[in-house]
């Protein structure tokens, strides 16, 4: 992930919907510490290339000093892509997503360093924040199954 320039005018919509199912053999409540996170990415530029989703759990991963916790690369269909992160430990995470239209595995930039491919960061409106942090972007994942809907801009 590259630093985001002030020239970016993008917005990311994040909606975390979840439900929890707690049950054991005795029908008593017992919370699981792992779950499934489904990321639904909307508004790709086209159905070309792939959507690159990076799941991040630390500030070092967010600033590209360490590799992401997990990644998912899926081709968009009808300008939408889905990524499933199974057996994910409950905790705080951030998402960095971009539409790699030319499938070169890089977020392409113009001559001033502004991205030329659509992107989104969880919980961040990039038109109002050109230097987001992990803490600003993080969301809490604490369900057996949850969905995140995010729009690329």
């Amino acid at each position: 992930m590259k630093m985001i320039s002030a020239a970016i005018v993008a917005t990311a919509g994040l909606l975390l919907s979840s439900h929890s199912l707690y049950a054991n053999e005795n029908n008593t409540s017992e919370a699981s510490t792992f779950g499934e996170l489904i990321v639904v990415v909307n508004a790709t530029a086209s159905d070309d290339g792939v959507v690159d989703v990076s799941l991040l759990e630390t500030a070092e991963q967010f600033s590209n000093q360490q590799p992401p916790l997990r990644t998912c690369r899926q081709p968009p269909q009808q300008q939408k892509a889905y990524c499933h992160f199974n057996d994910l430990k409950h905790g705080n995470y951030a998402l960095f997503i971009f539409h790699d239209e030319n499938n070169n595995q890089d977020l392409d930039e113009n001559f001033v360093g502004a991205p030329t491919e659509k992107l989104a960061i969880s919980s961040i409106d990039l038109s109002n924040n050109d230097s987001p942090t992990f803490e600003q972007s993080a969301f809490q994942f604490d369900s057996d199954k949850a969905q995140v809907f995010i729009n690329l801009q």
Side-chain angles (χ1 to χ4, degrees):
M1 176 175 34
K2 299 175 183 172
M3 292 305 295
I4 310 227
S5 155
I8 298 174
V9 178
T11 60
L14 174 71
L15 170 65
L16 183 63
S17 68
S18 63
H19 72 280
S20 299
L21 303 173
Y22 303 114
N24 64 18
E25 293 178 4
N26 300 326
N27 289 329
T28 59
S29 293
E30 185 176 299
S32 169
T33 58
F34 291 86
E36 176 187 14
L37 178 64
I38 303 166
V39 180
V40 182
V41 182
N42 297 304
T44 62
S46 67
D47 285 345
D48 296 333
V50 296
V51 172
D52 187 294
V53 178
S54 293
L55 181 67
L56 313 165
E57 69 175 343
T58 67
E60 291 78 21
Q61 291 170 346
F62 190 84
S63 63
N64 207 28
Q65 296 171 357
Q66 294 178 351
L69 175 66
R70 297 191 194 174
T71 59
C72 173
R73 290 177 58 84
Q74 292 293 321
Q77 294 180 340
Q78 297 179 330
Q79 295 183 305
K80 188 178 281 195
Y82 299 86
C83 284
H84 293 256
F85 296 102
N86 296 313
D87 299 319
L88 183 62
K89 186 174 177 152
H90 292 169
N92 290 325
Y93 297 96
L95 294 167
F96 179 82
I97 303 167
F98 73 98
H99 182 192
D100 189 5
E101 275 194 280
N102 58 3
N103 205 9
N104 67 351
Q105 300 186 4
D106 283 321
L107 176 61
D108 296 333
E109 298 176 342
N110 64 17
F111 67 97
V112 295
T116 59
E117 294 176 307
K118 293 178 87 172
L119 65 104
I121 297 174
S122 55
S123 304
I124 296 294
D125 179 351
L126 293 172
S127 66
N128 294 324
N129 186 345
D130 62 354
S131 298
T133 66
F134 175 77
E135 290 76 20
Q136 293 170 329
S137 306
F139 59 91
Q140 173 123 15
F141 172 69
D142 59 4
S143 299
D144 286 343
K145 189 171 191 176
Q147 286 185 309
V148 172
F149 298 87
I150 195 159
N151 297 319
L152 297 175
Q153 294 293 320

